[in-house]
Amino acid sequence: MARAALRRGLGSGRATVESVADREQALAGGNSLGGAVRLGETVRKPWTAATPAVIEFMAAVRTGGVDVPEVLGRDEQGRQVQEFVSGRLAMDLGPLSVAQLARVAGIVRAIHDVSEGFVPVAAPRWQPAIRSPGHELICHGDLAPWNLIVGERWVFIDWDGAGPSTRLWDLAYSAQAFTLNDPDAAPVQAAGKLAAFIDAYGADEQLRGELPAVLVQRVAAMYELLRSSNAAGIEPWSTMYVTGHGAHWQAVLQYVKDHQRVWARALTADRSP
């Protein structure tokens, strides 16, 4: 579920700018919704049955004070049009600092808080890649380093897989993706970053207590999506499974499962000043 950054690469001179602006440039990744391209300062991607509800959800999140890509309508080819957000993907920046993790967790919390009151006007046809075990609120579903643009703005992109979920399920995925996605990392150090993320999110004691087990369940769901899609020949997950993603998520699943007690100790430690 990763997406490669597209470097702007605009040279000086009017002719260069115009030629780039007029030419579509394929955007790598966007695995749940292929065919995304950049055209000038916009992104064009397929319009699906879920798009109207996704656009409505994005508008509600933006109105609630969270920065999201601006939706600009539909083009002559029937594609959805969004603004192109400049910056680098968080996954390309290396390990984030505790302060940066806290900033990300604050954005995740803000999205969840705004989403709690969202009710779509029309009957939605959500298309999440992985279905949640509960339906408390609408969630992005992939708030991860491969979908976070870091620059003058910090903005989560690729909202097309949004759908009904729970705080715990969505938080488990984000926390794991930002802090426990390296199976070679020392567990105690990773647990410290996990605790910093969850502290900045402001999770209550119930969320903290349930999180270690749900971390395992959420990673298992990601691995199962890849494994089962490969068995059934469903793209793009099938190709991803055999080109490294399957092995990665299997290793992460084992890592998260083996160190549940470490995560639990870090999350329930005394945090009083």
Side-chain angles (χ1 to χ4, degrees):
M1 302 178 78
R3 169 180 178 151
L6 176 68
R7 306 310 191 262
R8 298 189 66 182
L10 297 180
S12 60
R14 182 178 177 84
T16 301
V17 173
E18 289 179 346
S19 64
V20 171
D22 293 339
R23 186 174 66 248
E24 290 188 0
Q25 303 170 336
L27 288 165
N31 301 310
S32 62
L33 189 63
V37 300
R38 177 184 175 187
L39 181 60
E41 295 305 307
T42 68
V43 172
R44 314 295 174 101
K45 54 172 86 173
W47 188 283
T48 73
T51 300
V54 170
I55 289 175
E56 189 181 348
F57 178 47
M58 292 174 68
V61 173
R62 175 183 282 273
T63 299
V66 181
D67 193 2
V68 302
E70 184 179 0
V71 178
L72 303 173
R74 197 168 185 175
D75 68 11
E76 63 282 356
Q77 298 183 38
R79 300 175 298 186
Q80 55 175 304
V81 183
Q82 296 181 11
E83 68 164 320
F84 174 78
V85 180
S86 299
R88 298 181 62 190
L89 287 174
M91 67 178 289
D92 295 332
L93 300 178
L96 298 184
S97 68
V98 169
Q100 290 172 321
L101 289 172
R103 181 170 180 174
V104 176
I107 297 172
V108 174
R109 177 61 188 256
I111 292 172
H112 287 172
D113 286 351
V114 170
S115 301
E116 250 187 350
F118 171 70
V119 179
V121 174
R125 298 178 64 182
W126 306 110
Q127 296 178 335
I130 296 174
R131 297 194 179 277
S132 167
H135 295 175
E136 291 176 3
L137 70 169
I138 303 303
C139 290
H140 178 288
D142 199 7
L143 298 175
W146 38 90
N147 281 327
L148 176 63
I149 298 292
V150 175
E152 292 184 6
R153 301 156 61 188
W154 286 42
V155 180
F156 278 108
I157 59 173
D158 287 350
W159 291 71
D160 304 280
S165 189
T166 70
R167 278 185 184 263
L168 179 58
W169 188 251
D170 207 49
L171 176 61
Y173 183 65
S174 294
Q176 176 273 315
F178 278 99
T179 69
L180 305 181
N181 206 41
D182 178 5
D184 295 323
V188 173
Q189 294 180 355
K193 291 186 175 182
L194 172 64
F197 192 97
I198 298 305
D199 286 348
Y201 180 88
D204 61 22
E205 294 306 315
Q206 181 176 349
L207 277 176
R208 290 174 182 276
E210 295 175 350
L211 192 61
V214 178
L215 286 168
V216 176
Q217 295 166 18
R218 186 59 180 81
V219 176
M222 183 66 236
Y223 176 71
E224 179 57 21
L225 169 67
L226 294 165
R227 187 207 62 77
S228 61
S229 295
N230 181 61
I234 300 172
E235 297 292 358
W237 315 115
S238 180
T239 296
M240 291 174 64
Y241 179 82
V242 299
T243 55
H245 288 75
H248 169 76
W249 284 102
Q250 187 174 40
V252 171
L253 175 57
Q254 194 64 50
Y255 175 74
V256 173
K257 183 185 298 184
D258 287 347
H259 303 294
Q260 285 186 79
R261 291 184 179 179
V262 179
W263 319 141
R265 283 196 298 269
L267 292 173
T268 57
D270 183 9
R271 295 177 303 281
S272 61

